[in-house]
Amino acid sequence: MKRYENQTAIVTGGGGGIGGATCRRLAAEGAKVAVFDMNLEAAESVAQGIRDAGGQAQAFRCDITDRAGVDQAVADTIAAFGTIDTLVNNAGWDVFKPFLKTEVGEWDKLIAINLVGALNMHHAVLPGMVERKSGRIVNVASDAARVGSSGEAVYAACKGGLVAFTKTLAREHSRHNITLNVVCPGPTDTALLAGVAEGAANPEKLIEAFTKAIPLGRLGQGDDLASAIAFFGSQDASFITGQVLSVSGGLTMNG
């Protein structure tokens, strides 16, 4: 039996690199996948690819910063697939600038997407999990939250907040048989990283520096993260909660 047989999973940012890889991985393991993304076309492309491969998936346009929109997308998912068993909060956004060169409007956007958006998703999905006394939540943060990252101060603050939030909810909801864990990507070959690099003086040099700093000698790929996310969201991780895992090729090594 596949690990996600008869399970429904929501993946936010499901139209992107890590999100798309996660959607495909969960679907391959039997999940009915709700692909949440602001870009409905990108979400539908991922969902259609899953359906073409024989899996079950449906795209939903969702701006995670809009609570009413989140509630509607979650309700539509329940109508389409039934109960929500796994939530993967993956959607994120970053801007690469020294803190003193950032602007308040950028802070607002970073906080809204990287922290408040995840809070919205938890608040919408957790009640059903509590009622059923069962659920898995995987939050995608960043190693910037664990060790800091020059040029990503507000992003790192949001992701650090997400780690603390996850650990707190893991304690609050352990009695409901709900586990919450965090996956922290290091530099990963995605559109988000490309966008971050564009803000640097020399994007190619920045990517080269990231790659050279990684002991395993390459940037992470979406599938690398999808494997860790799929583990935490499955029954294989039923006795693991409140934990943080770096998937960074050894760039960060935390005891």
Side-chain angles (χ1 to χ4, degrees):
M1 183 175 177
K2 296 180 179 179
R3 288 193 296 184
Y4 284 84
E5 199 78 38
N6 300 317
Q7 303 285 302
T8 297
I10 290 175
V11 180
T12 68
I18 294 173
T22 300
C23 289
R24 289 186 288 271
R25 176 61 178 269
L26 299 185
E29 296 203 32
K32 295 172 286 186
V33 180
V35 186
F36 278 27
D37 205 288
M38 281 189 65
N39 184 336
L40 184 58
E41 184 178 352
E44 180 55 42
S45 177
V46 171
Q48 186 61 56
I50 289 170
R51 294 193 294 267
D52 290 345
Q56 298 183 70
Q58 186 168 328
F60 299 87
R61 187 191 181 282
C62 183
D63 176 356
I64 60 171
T65 70
D66 173 9
R67 179 55 196 271
V70 166
D71 288 343
Q72 186 61 59
V74 169
D76 290 345
T77 299
I78 293 171
F81 291 139
T83 58
I84 297 164
D85 304 286
T86 300
L87 169 63
V88 179
N89 287 299
N90 164 74
W93 179 76
D94 197 7
V95 58
F96 194 83
K97 290 182 181 180
F99 176 67
L100 293 181
K101 293 185 178 181
T102 60
E103 299 176 358
V104 173
E106 290 169 331
W107 306 351
D108 292 342
K109 184 175 179 179
L110 284 161
I111 294 167
I113 294 173
N114 295 302
L115 185 56
V116 176
L119 270 59
N120 284 335
M121 289 301 306
H122 283 81
H123 211 253
V125 171
L126 264 170
M129 292 182 171
V130 169
E131 183 179 350
R132 296 189 308 277
K133 292 185 168 53
S134 177
R136 302 278 178 266
I137 296 178
V138 186
N139 290 321
V140 179
S142 169
D143 269 349
R146 308 191 79 179
V147 299
S149 178
S150 298
E152 299 180 283
V154 181
Y155 177 80
C158 294
K159 294 300 190 178
L162 184 58
V163 170
F165 177 72
T166 302
K167 288 177 176 287
T168 300
L169 289 193
R171 292 186 182 277
E172 289 184 1
H173 293 290
S174 58
R175 68 184 186 276
H176 300 126
N177 192 36
I178 299 169
T179 65
L180 296 97
N181 292 288
V182 182
V183 171
C184 284
T188 306
D189 188 12
T190 63
L192 178 60
L193 179 63
V196 168
E198 286 178 5
N202 189 328
E204 291 185 4
K205 186 174 181 180
L206 178 65
I207 296 298
E208 181 182 358
F210 277 147
T211 304
K212 286 183 177 179
I214 297 170
L216 289 181
R218 64 173 177 84
L219 293 176
Q221 300 298 313
D223 287 340
D224 295 319
L225 278 302
S227 296
I229 292 166
F231 167 68
F232 274 139
S234 75
Q235 281 298 111
D236 289 344
S238 62
F239 199 57
I240 303 172
T241 195
Q243 301 304 307
V244 183
L245 175 66
S246 291
V247 183
S248 62
L251 179 63
T252 52
M253 299 186 185
N254 293 276

